[in-house]
Short mmCIF file of all heavy atoms in Angstrom, two decimals:
data_model
loop_
_atom_site.label_atom_id
_atom_site.label_comp_id
_atom_site.label_asym_id
_atom_site.label_seq_id
_atom_site.Cartn_x
_atom_site.Cartn_y
_atom_site.Cartn_z
N ASN A 68 12.72 10.81 -12.84
CA ASN A 68 12.52 11.94 -13.65
C ASN A 68 12.91 11.66 -15.11
O ASN A 68 13.90 12.18 -15.59
CB ASN A 68 13.23 13.20 -13.13
CG ASN A 68 12.94 13.51 -11.67
OD1 ASN A 68 12.07 14.17 -11.37
ND2 ASN A 68 13.74 12.87 -10.73
N SER A 69 12.13 10.85 -15.78
CA SER A 69 12.55 10.24 -17.01
C SER A 69 12.72 11.25 -18.15
O SER A 69 13.47 11.06 -19.10
CB SER A 69 11.54 9.20 -17.46
OG SER A 69 10.25 9.69 -17.58
N ASP A 70 12.06 12.41 -18.01
CA ASP A 70 12.15 13.44 -19.09
C ASP A 70 13.56 14.08 -19.15
O ASP A 70 13.88 14.71 -20.16
CB ASP A 70 11.14 14.55 -18.86
CG ASP A 70 9.68 14.13 -19.08
OD1 ASP A 70 9.52 13.10 -19.76
OD2 ASP A 70 8.79 14.83 -18.68
N ILE A 71 14.38 13.76 -18.18
CA ILE A 71 15.70 14.37 -18.18
C ILE A 71 16.57 13.79 -19.31
O ILE A 71 17.55 14.41 -19.71
CB ILE A 71 16.43 14.10 -16.84
CG1 ILE A 71 17.61 15.07 -16.63
CG2 ILE A 71 16.85 12.64 -16.68
CD1 ILE A 71 18.29 15.02 -15.27
N ILE A 72 16.16 12.63 -19.83
CA ILE A 72 16.99 12.10 -20.93
C ILE A 72 16.97 12.93 -22.21
O ILE A 72 17.88 12.83 -23.00
CB ILE A 72 16.46 10.65 -21.32
CG1 ILE A 72 15.05 10.74 -21.98
CG2 ILE A 72 16.50 9.69 -20.12
CD1 ILE A 72 14.69 9.41 -22.62
N TYR A 73 16.03 13.83 -22.36
CA TYR A 73 15.94 14.72 -23.51
C TYR A 73 17.08 15.72 -23.51
O TYR A 73 17.32 16.44 -24.48
CB TYR A 73 14.61 15.42 -23.57
CG TYR A 73 13.46 14.43 -23.80
CD1 TYR A 73 12.52 14.21 -22.84
CD2 TYR A 73 13.40 13.71 -25.02
CE1 TYR A 73 11.51 13.24 -23.05
CE2 TYR A 73 12.40 12.79 -25.21
CZ TYR A 73 11.46 12.54 -24.20
OH TYR A 73 10.39 11.66 -24.42
N LEU A 74 17.81 15.83 -22.35
CA LEU A 74 18.99 16.71 -22.31
C LEU A 74 20.25 15.95 -22.59
O LEU A 74 21.34 16.56 -22.47
CB LEU A 74 19.05 17.32 -20.86
CG LEU A 74 17.84 18.26 -20.48
CD1 LEU A 74 18.08 18.70 -19.04
CD2 LEU A 74 17.80 19.48 -21.37
N LEU A 75 20.17 14.74 -23.01
CA LEU A 75 21.36 13.87 -23.32
C LEU A 75 22.29 14.57 -24.39
O LEU A 75 23.47 14.58 -24.16
CB LEU A 75 20.96 12.53 -23.78
CG LEU A 75 22.10 11.51 -24.08
CD1 LEU A 75 22.93 11.27 -22.83
CD2 LEU A 75 21.55 10.19 -24.61
N PRO A 76 21.77 15.15 -25.45
CA PRO A 76 22.68 15.77 -26.38
C PRO A 76 23.42 16.95 -25.75
O PRO A 76 24.62 17.16 -26.08
CB PRO A 76 21.72 16.28 -27.54
CG PRO A 76 20.56 15.33 -27.46
CD PRO A 76 20.38 15.04 -25.99
N LEU A 77 22.71 17.74 -24.92
CA LEU A 77 23.37 18.83 -24.25
C LEU A 77 24.47 18.32 -23.31
O LEU A 77 25.54 18.98 -23.19
CB LEU A 77 22.32 19.67 -23.48
CG LEU A 77 22.85 20.97 -22.83
CD1 LEU A 77 23.38 21.92 -23.86
CD2 LEU A 77 21.67 21.67 -22.06
N ALA A 78 24.16 17.24 -22.59
CA ALA A 78 25.13 16.65 -21.71
C ALA A 78 26.36 16.20 -22.51
O ALA A 78 27.52 16.32 -22.11
CB ALA A 78 24.52 15.45 -20.98
N GLY A 79 26.12 15.68 -23.74
CA GLY A 79 27.21 15.24 -24.57
C GLY A 79 28.06 16.42 -24.97
O GLY A 79 29.30 16.32 -25.07
#
Side-chain angles (χ1 to χ4, degrees):
N68 303 272
S69 58
D70 288 345
I71 198 173
I72 68 168
Y73 295 112
L74 296 176
L75 182 62
L77 186 60

